[in-house]
Amino acid sequence: MAKLREWLDERLQTREIKHALLDRKIPKGVGWLYTLGSVSLFIFTAQIVTGILLAMNYVPSPEHAYLSVKHVTDQIPMGSVMRGIHKWGASAMVIFVTLHMLRVYFMGAYKYPRELTWIVGVLIWLIVLGFGFTGYLLPWDQKGFWATVVGANIAEQAPYLGPWIAKLMRGGDQLGAVTLTRFYAIHVLILPASLGLLVAIHLFMVIRQGISAPPEREPRRPG
Ligand code: HEM
């Protein structure tokens, strides 16, 4: 390993990259609450890996979707584990990203000079919710189907653009094959690409600016 590291460093200056990315001073008082972003990153990685494995066996059509998902659970080695991680990971991702966002909010870490990191974070949060909504339909079971009917009906109530948004979501007036294909494309192409790009920008800004110091109580005035 040491030799390989040496070999790579000689050609690509990998030590410099590691130093720039990982070796940094952190402010006093940084504790467990500051790990929530890294936990989100870990879950995101697990979702990508299990998602790719699921996509290799999933068929996005009303006739085959449910059976292909059942096939993964019942027939494929470790399939139920892979599906379980992806399913529970989806909820964990929403929870941890939201906790991370609350930590940033309550510690005032969104303030100058980190406004852009916060704005990118809000977009990330919306995309994570979008993942949950589109993924829920994919098994094409009763729960997913009716949840999406309700979701599209809610979107339809929005002023002016509502009916147009609902039609765009469903790919017509009713939920059907086009809806499933659309949700699948959004879930495996558009959202992962957007989230990957935004997380990269987010981490670039976090590394560039360094982590903020925890807020301190104002020192008491004497007398
Ligand atoms: C996939 C989702 C996300 C990932 C992987 C991620 C990753 C990270 C990491 C690793 C840090 C370093 C410090 C820490 O962990 O607390 C961080 C900091 C930060 N994040 Fe996120 N984040 C995500 C979502 C969000 C969201 C939803 C928001 C807000 C809406 C946000 C706003 C911020 C801000 C403002 C900082 C700087 C905090 C500071 O300097 O104290 N992030 N993020």
Side-chain angles (χ1 to χ4, degrees):
M1 272 317 269
K3 268 200 171 160
L4 178 67
R5 239 179 277 142
E6 208 52 56
W7 191 88
L8 277 175
D9 186 52
E10 205 180 313
R11 282 152 186 87
L12 300 165
Q13 285 76 49
T14 41
R15 246 180 230 136
E16 245 172 63
I17 301 174
K18 181 190 158 269
H19 177 67
L21 289 179
L22 299 176
D23 302 338
R24 47 193 49 258
K25 291 202 170 91
I26 51 169
K28 206 169 147 222
V30 166
W32 283 102
L33 288 175
Y34 285 76
T35 60
L36 293 167
S38 304
V39 174
S40 308
L41 188 61
F42 175 78
I43 303 171
F44 179 39
T45 314
Q47 291 302 92
I48 293 174
V49 174
T50 51
I52 290 174
L53 294 172
L54 287 173
M56 285 179 176
N57 297 288
Y58 177 75
V59 185
S61 83
E63 292 79 33
H64 300 104
Y66 183 77
L67 289 175
S68 66
V69 165
K70 199 167 165 354
H71 176 76
V72 171
T73 315
D74 298 341
Q75 309 287 329
I76 294 197
M78 300 289 285
S80 56
V81 175
M82 185 168 80
R83 230 190 119 193
I85 294 175
H86 200 76
K87 187 190 163 205
W88 290 101
S91 302
M93 178 105 180
V94 174
I95 293 169
F96 278 96
V97 171
T98 306
L99 287 176
H100 169 57
M101 186 168 159
L102 290 173
R103 188 295 278 173
V104 167
Y105 179 75
F106 284 112
M107 288 190 169
Y110 56 85
K111 293 179 192 171
Y112 172 85
R114 297 183 176 79
E115 304 94 322
L116 275 179
T117 318
W118 171 261
I119 291 169
V120 170
V122 172
L123 294 177
I124 289 177
W125 187 71
L126 291 173
I127 290 177
V128 170
L129 296 187
F131 263 115
F133 184 60
T134 50
Y136 207 60
L137 178 70
L138 300 185
W140 203 249
D141 53 3
Q142 289 289 325
K143 253 193 326 178
F145 183 90
W146 293 107
T148 310
V149 169
V150 172
N153 287 346
I154 292 173
E156 201 159 27
Q157 306 308 312
Y160 307 111
L161 290 179
W164 180 79
I165 295 171
K167 204 164 184 171
L168 188 75
M169 267 166 75
R170 295 190 204 109
D173 293 325
Q174 302 280 329
L175 225 72
V178 182
T179 325
L180 186 57
T181 309
R182 229 162 244 200
F183 272 48
Y184 183 58
I186 295 171
H187 192 81
V188 305
L189 297 172
I190 299 178
L191 294 183
S194 318
L195 190 56
L197 181 69
L198 289 178
V199 167
I201 295 173
H202 191 72
L203 294 179
F204 170 77
M205 290 195 280
V206 170
I207 289 169
R208 192 93 182 130
Q209 297 186 320
I211 204 72
S212 68
E216 275 180 47
R217 276 203 201 130
E218 251 185 70
R220 269 199 221 139
R221 294 208 186 104

